[in-house]
Amino acid sequence: MHQRKINIGMNNKISEPAALKQLKNHKHHNPGRMTFTKRFPLWLIVLLITLLPGTSATANSDHITYLPLVFIQGTHGGNPQNRAESLAFYHTNYLIKNPPAINWTGSHATCDPGTTNPAFQQAVLQRINYFRAMAGVPAEVTFSTASNQRAQAAALMMSVNGALNHKPPKSWTCYTSLGYEGASSSNLYLGVYGWDAITGYMKDPGDFNHAVGHRRWILYPQTQVMGTGDIPPVSDFWSSNALRVFDDHMWDPRPQTRDDFVAWPPPGYVPYPVVFARWSFSYPAADFSATSVTMRQAGNQVRIDQKPVHSGFGENTLVWQIQSMSCGDPWPRPSQDTTYTININNVIIGGQSRNFSYEVIVFDPYH
């Protein structure tokens, strides 16, 4: 049987049949558990599910990260080819203008994962579908009760233990098999929760997150069902998020997308608050080993660092970072619409070399 490998954590490796069994029986190589406590001076900690050979994460100035591991125009909205539509979509679908309270009912003391306000969950879902719609993939993801419960149990375990682990040991405080299932199939975030965690996953900062695996799972075209688990900051405990990104549609045929590829930022008009230092270009089963990318603005070359290619996080992806920016830097506010031309050459698809070119116009949605 052919077994396609997927990524759910830099320290984990599983094959397709195991993934289809909700990762219950996956094998791990060099687990390398990382533990982070409140004594560590960090602003945010992110853990992504990946299925790559073992490696460990280290801290930079303000992050520690791990990786885990269709929008059709006129149907889902968010048309970045039109500035006015992109602007309106940002204000109506990205911004949370009346943030609902989380109303968490659980308890660290009694190991109760609790529940959260359905309106809060819908705001998280809105943020997910905003990014998917703008990227041109199906933007009708829903949350299921089962996925939410697993994610909520996982989020509690991360919060109460002040650590991130896709394979939490039974010795952990508040350990449950439900939480284990959630942890092994979710993006994990410590120090941020709710819709802000979704933007954090899309940014994918951190020295060991150059494969942007969190982003790739959020934008994976086949995904139809996710689940969110959120714990607010309480007393001495971290806030946390677990975003369950594996569903029963993982191996479905690829649905129709706006473009052959999935890029972030996408071609067209993109508000600067959702443009990040790391840019990415995904194409299913593409070979990027000999690919080159150039980026120009007003005819001048933008200096970039092309990152090593890591397959297995959703679709195969090429990543580059703006040299003048740290991976967690916010995009500078532009004084006027600014066009960047991207040229990607020698992408091997089906044994043939293909080139791609597109423009991203970064604009200020508040001006």
Side-chain angles (χ1 to χ4, degrees):
M1 177 186 297
H2 174 66
Q3 296 184 345
R4 181 158 67 118
K5 293 177 181 176
I6 61 175
N7 288 330
I8 61 163
M10 290 292 269
N11 54 342
N12 302 329
K13 184 177 182 180
I14 68 171
S15 61
E16 175 177 352
L20 294 177
K21 294 177 182 178
Q22 296 183 334
L23 311 178
K24 290 180 180 178
N25 300 314
H26 62 282
K27 296 181 179 179
H28 296 76
H29 302 269
N30 301 321
R33 171 178 171 242
M34 297 295 294
T35 301
F36 316 109
T37 70
K38 280 240 176 184
R39 293 186 297 272
F40 208 93
L42 302 178
W43 293 348
L44 63 86
I45 302 172
V46 187
L47 179 62
L48 279 209
I49 55 172
T50 70
L51 303 177
L52 283 181
T55 125
S56 59
T58 59
N60 65 13
S61 60
D62 60 358
H63 310 90
I64 288 184
T65 57
Y66 264 124
L67 283 171
L69 147 180
V70 144
F71 154 74
I72 307 301
Q73 182 175 337
T75 301
H76 301 290
N79 175 21
Q81 297 305 312
N82 182 288
R83 190 187 192 281
E85 290 185 33
S86 181
L87 173 64
F89 195 61
Y90 175 82
H91 282 280
T92 59
N93 287 269
Y94 179 81
L95 297 181
I96 312 295
K97 295 186 177 180
N98 296 297
I102 187 171
N103 293 343
W104 180 50
T105 64
S107 168
H108 292 87
T110 63
C111 293
D112 178 8
T115 60
T116 59
N117 181 2
F120 182 91
Q121 295 175 9
Q122 285 302 305
V124 176
L125 186 61
Q126 176 180 311
R127 182 65 57 89
I128 292 169
N129 281 323
Y130 168 82
F131 282 114
R132 289 177 65 88
M134 286 289 288
V137 303
E140 296 175 338
V141 167
T142 60
F143 287 155
S144 71
T145 299
S147 289
N148 283 346
Q149 289 174 341
R150 285 161 175 76
Q152 191 66 28
L156 175 67
M157 289 168 59
M158 304 305 139
S159 176
V160 76
N161 288 280
L164 294 176
N165 197 329
H166 286 301
K167 187 186 176 183
K170 291 184 178 180
S171 59
W172 261 28
T173 302
C174 299
Y175 175 91
T176 60
S177 59
L178 195 69
Y180 183 96
E181 289 182 29
S184 64
S185 57
S186 297
N187 293 354
L188 301 174
Y189 219 126
L190 197 60
V192 178
Y193 69 107
W195 47 85
D196 287 337
I198 306 307
T199 299
Y201 293 137
M202 287 295 296
K203 178 181 283 190
D204 248 352
D207 292 342
F208 285 83
N209 253 1
H210 56 258
V212 298
H214 299 88
R215 177 189 299 175
R216 288 156 69 173
W217 282 124
I218 288 177
L219 300 182
Y220 188 60
Q222 284 88 326
T223 303
Q224 298 181 31
V225 180
M226 295 187 186
T228 187
D230 293 280
I231 306 294
V234 177
S235 301
D236 293 329
F237 295 103
W238 288 96
S239 61
S240 63
N241 170 270
L243 181 69
R244 195 161 193 251
V245 293
F246 288 177
D247 69 0
D248 293 337
H249 301 282
M250 180 179 291
W251 309 117
D252 285 358
R254 191 177 192 261
Q256 183 180 2
T257 60
R258 184 179 59 232
D259 306 301
D260 288 346
F261 57 87
V262 176
W264 197 267
Y269 290 91
V270 185
Y272 83 89
V274 295
V275 179
F276 311 114
R278 287 175 173 157
W279 293 40
S280 59
F281 175 95
S282 301
Y283 199 104
D287 179 357
F288 293 110
S289 59
T291 300
S292 63
V293 56
T294 60
M295 185 170 175
R296 306 188 74 85
Q297 192 272 313
N300 299 313
Q301 184 169 338
V302 177
R303 294 192 176 188
I304 60 174
D305 286 326
Q306 190 170 323
K307 299 300 182 181
V309 175
H310 290 293
S311 299
F313 313 104
E315 296 189 320
N316 291 358
T317 298
L318 182 71
V319 181
W320 61 97
Q321 182 173 323
I322 312 303
Q323 277 190 7
S324 62
M325 300 179 66
S326 296
C327 58
D329 285 350
W331 195 265
R333 187 173 189 172
S335 59
Q336 59 185 5
D337 292 6
T338 306
T339 300
Y340 296 89
T341 302
I342 310 301
N343 289 294
I344 299 174
N345 296 319
N346 198 30
V347 181
I348 306 301
I349 300 170
Q352 302 295 316
S353 176
R354 288 184 60 182
N355 299 330
F356 297 84
S357 181
Y358 59 94
E359 290 185 341
V360 176
I361 304 98
V362 180
F363 72 97
D364 183 355
Y366 303 105
H367 180 70

